Amino acid sequence: MQEVIKVSMSTLNKMKSHYAQGQQVPPPGAAFHVKIGGTIITGYNSGKVMFQGTNIGSELSKWSDQQPSATKKDFPKAVNNSLPAGFDTWSVIGSDEVGTGSYFGPLTVASVFVAKENLATVRKLGIQDSKKLTDPEIVKMAKQLIQFLPYHVVNIMPAKYNEMLTKYNQGQLKALCHNLALTQVLQKIKPIKPDAILIDQFVAPSTYYRYLKGQQIVRENVYFQTKGEQAHLAVAAASVIARYISLEAMDDLTASAGITLPIGAGNAVDQIAAKLIRQGKPLGDFAKLHFANTQKAQAIADQD
């Protein structure tokens, strides 16, 4: 398995420092080269970092959220502000995911069709700044959106997520979920065809399609864009609905755990995970086990 990400120079230096212990002689043009468990990580002076191994998800997840916006040099056309003129007025299926950077909770992908005649209605809901909405606002807005927009959600709960990560890395799993959600929405709106499909970009398009090798892939009029919610309301709507479903799932998991499960992957997460371990509860039912938080939580639990 291999994945390449592009990071800023400051992040590259952070990675070099983070992996200082156990570094090996780097190949030409590389800033560092290290093997962590079964994962080989090579950081190049260009800012590209290569992850290789049979299960790269744990290390990749530490840095995937720190990738800078891609440039035209890095990715094909139709990425990064190169969408066709007037794209925001088109009838589009948008696709977005939440939960990839949070230790507790599911991976949730939503695809939503916003026809041009519905753009004004969606805009009036105040959805443009979907990332800034509070949880109550998300719930209220999502309940309105699902009343009139065709959509499909793929919600992978932690137990299933951990099982699937024995076969796929996180990037592959996200690609599979996006492709499935898009397929379902296209089925729901037949015989109507969208003017385009916009996926909130998380890897290079070539990598996305490589991840889907062997699948029936949605390819027609597909575009990729970082911060896709700013490019079309369909992606913003997908973000809101995905967050709504994820919040509901987190409520269920919190009830099952008997303790509030925090969002993210910081120290508070380690402490709660350690508490679950001490209580003898199966951590894999609540958390994405490939995160480094698992080892940190176990170390905390062992100390008590």
Side-chain angles (χ1 to χ4, degrees), residues 3-303:
E3 177 68 82
V4 177
I5 65 173
K6 177 82 171 177
V7 300
S8 66
M9 293 313 297
S10 62
T11 298
L12 184 69
N13 290 329
K14 287 180 184 177
M15 296 179 76
K16 184 177 180 179
S17 177
H18 179 81
Y19 295 119
Q21 186 175 356
Q23 281 194 24
Q24 303 173 6
V25 177
F32 68 88
H33 180 73
V34 65
K35 184 174 182 180
I36 305 292
T39 302
I40 299 173
I41 307 166
T42 308
Y44 292 90
N45 294 322
S46 63
K48 292 183 179 180
V49 183
M50 180 184 296
F51 295 78
Q52 297 171 294
T54 55
N55 187 13
I56 65 176
S58 178
E59 295 303 320
L60 184 60
S61 66
K62 297 176 184 178
W63 310 103
S64 58
D65 289 341
Q66 300 189 44
Q67 296 178 61
S69 297
T71 64
K72 291 182 180 179
K73 178 182 176 182
D74 296 318
F75 298 133
K77 213 171 177 180
V79 179
N80 291 296
N81 303 318
S82 59
L83 295 172
F87 187 89
D88 60 341
T89 67
W90 291 9
S91 296
V92 171
I93 298 178
S95 197
D96 199 5
E97 84 280 336
V98 299
T100 57
S102 185
Y103 182 59
F104 289 118
L107 165 63
T108 310
V109 175
S111 294
V112 182
F113 177 55
V114 180
K116 60 181 66 178
E117 56 266 27
N118 285 325
L119 285 170
T121 303
V122 173
R123 189 175 290 108
K124 285 180 182 178
L125 295 177
I127 202 172
Q128 291 96 325
D129 297 322
S130 60
K131 301 295 185 184
K132 299 178 182 179
L133 296 172
T134 64
D135 288 351
E137 288 172 332
I138 285 290
V139 172
K140 180 181 179 181
M141 187 175 294
K143 286 182 176 180
Q144 293 174 294
L145 292 172
I146 62 179
Q147 293 300 313
F148 67 98
L149 296 180
Y151 73 98
H152 188 82
V153 177
V154 180
N155 193 49
I156 310 294
M157 295 297 282
K160 184 64 176 179
Y161 177 96
N162 293 320
E163 176 188 337
M164 295 187 76
L165 243 68
T166 63
K167 300 178 182 178
Y168 311 104
N169 66 42
Q170 191 186 65
Q172 287 175 302
L173 188 53
K174 287 197 287 185
L176 289 166
C177 291
H178 277 280
N179 191 62
L180 175 58
L182 290 169
T183 299
Q184 293 300 315
V185 175
L186 285 169
Q187 287 292 326
K188 290 178 181 180
I189 66 175
K190 274 187 174 181
I192 297 171
K193 282 191 174 185
D195 296 326
I197 291 170
L198 182 61
I199 298 173
D200 192 62
Q201 185 176 324
F202 56 93
V203 291
S206 58
T207 303
Y208 174 85
Y209 288 123
R210 175 166 56 82
Y211 281 161
L212 295 174
K213 186 177 180 181
Q215 304 291 318
Q216 186 170 351
I217 305 173
V218 175
R219 287 181 178 270
E220 187 176 0
N221 296 325
V222 173
Y223 295 82
F224 298 83
Q225 180 86 340
T226 56
K227 299 181 179 179
E229 71 280 359
Q230 298 177 12
H232 199 282
L233 291 176
V235 177
S239 175
V240 166
I241 292 174
R243 286 175 64 189
Y244 166 59
I245 298 300
S246 181
L247 286 170
E248 287 199 321
M250 284 294 287
D251 287 344
D252 291 341
L253 290 173
T254 287
S256 179
I259 187 171
T260 300
L261 302 178
I263 302 295
N267 182 64
V269 164
D270 300 337
Q271 298 297 329
I272 295 299
K275 190 169 185 177
L276 292 174
I277 292 172
R278 290 195 297 268
Q279 293 176 350
K281 293 181 178 176
L283 199 55
D285 287 352
F286 307 99
K288 303 176 183 74
L289 296 180
H290 67 99
F291 279 42
N293 301 85
T294 301
Q295 288 72 38
K296 294 176 183 178
Q298 188 63 61
I300 294 169
D302 291 343
Q303 290 173 0

